[in-house]
């Protein structure tokens, strides 16, 4: 799994217990998966279709640095299936895992659009 983005837990990210608000974390994961899929599928109109079980394994606290990891599980026809883990950057403790996140590329009419991709690509290779 490649860990792409780091976040710093700030006061506005906390729940009333003083730990990282789960909704905020899911927002970050959704945005990360959307951006990752948009780049991989080369389609800015890519949406979240499905998220499997979400397991909040440990909490994070103000001042913690966390990192968001994504792995591709499967390239479908219009879909891209991802797996996600967020962990504490310093301790490597897992904070949350989401086993299956399905993103779907759409056409102008909002219907699934085959992306033609079968493997991970790096932008630097596309620019050669
Ligand atoms: C230059 C760039 C600048 C751009 C800068 C952008 C900035 C970026 C900021 C990011 C910000 C965050 C953004 C987050 C992204 C949202 O939050 S998106 C908003 C939330 N999501 C939605 O609103 C989607 C609503 N759903 C839909 O519109 C329809 O369900 C869809 C997505 C069109 C799919 O329709 P459908 O009839 O289910 O289509 P169907 O053909 O049956 O299935 C399509 C694919 O999904 C799969 N699928 C369907 N249902 C399921 C299921 N339950 N489980 C698993 N797979 C399923 C199918 O197997 C199929 O896969 P493929 O065979 O094509 O590989």
């Amino acid at each position: 799994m490649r860990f792409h983005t780091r976040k710093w837990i700030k006061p506005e990210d906390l729940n009333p217990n003083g730990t990282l608000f789960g909704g905020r974390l899911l927002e970050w994961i959704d945005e990360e998966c959307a951006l990752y899929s948009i780049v991989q599928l080369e389609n800015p109109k890519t949406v979240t279709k499905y998220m499997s079980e979400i397991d909040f394994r440990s909490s994070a606290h103000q001042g913690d640095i966390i990192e968001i990891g994504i792995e591709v599980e499967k390239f479908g026809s219009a879909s891209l299936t991802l797996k996600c883990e967020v962990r504490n950057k310093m301790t490597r403790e897992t904070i949350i895992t989401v086993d299956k996140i399905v993103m779907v590329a759409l056409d102008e009419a909002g219907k699934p659009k085959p992306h033609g991709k079968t493997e991970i690509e790096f932008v630097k290779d596309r620019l050669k």
Side-chain angles (χ1 to χ4, degrees), residues 62-128:
Q62 186 176 331
D64 285 352
I65 299 166
I66 65 169
E67 52 187 358
I68 304 172
I70 289 182
E71 194 173 294
V72 170
E73 287 282 294
K74 194 178 82 161
F75 283 89
S77 169
S79 71
L80 175 65
T81 303
L82 306 172
K83 184 176 178 166
C84 176
E85 177 185 344
V86 179
R87 67 186 185 189
N88 183 300
K89 169 83 181 156
M90 300 307 196
T91 65
R92 296 281 163 97
E93 186 178 19
T94 300
I95 295 166
I96 191 173
T97 53
V98 190
D99 287 341
K100 188 175 171 187
I101 302 169
V102 180
M103 309 298 295
V104 176
L106 304 181
D107 62 17
E108 284 310 311
K111 299 288 175 210
K113 179 183 178 184
H115 47 65
K117 305 283 186 185
T118 54
E119 59 182 23
I120 295 171
E121 292 173 3
F122 297 96
V123 173
K124 66 176 169 49
D125 296 326
R126 289 182 189 149
L127 297 175
K128 278 176 189 165

Side-chain angles (χ1 to χ4, degrees), residues 30-31 34-35 38 44 46-50 76-79 100 102-104 106 110-112:
D30 194 29
E31 184 171 337
L35 292 172
I38 286 167
T46 298
V47 294
T48 314
K49 170 63 189 169
Y50 174 86
S77 169
S79 71
K100 188 175 171 187
V102 180
M103 309 298 295
V104 176
L106 304 181
K111 299 288 175 210

Side-chain angles (χ1 to χ4, degrees), residues 28-73:
W28 290 340
I29 289 172
D30 194 29
E31 184 171 337
E32 185 74 10
C33 290
L35 292 172
Y36 184 87
S37 304
I38 286 167
V39 172
Q40 283 303 319
L41 305 182
E42 295 189 80
N43 182 342
K45 218 167 143 62
T46 298
V47 294
T48 314
K49 170 63 189 169
Y50 174 86
M51 267 195 182
S52 73
E53 255 173 38
I54 294 161
D55 188 0
F56 286 97
R57 306 251 289 260
S58 67
S59 55
H61 303 85
Q62 186 176 331
D64 285 352
I65 299 166
I66 65 169
E67 52 187 358
I68 304 172
I70 289 182
E71 194 173 294
V72 170
E73 287 282 294

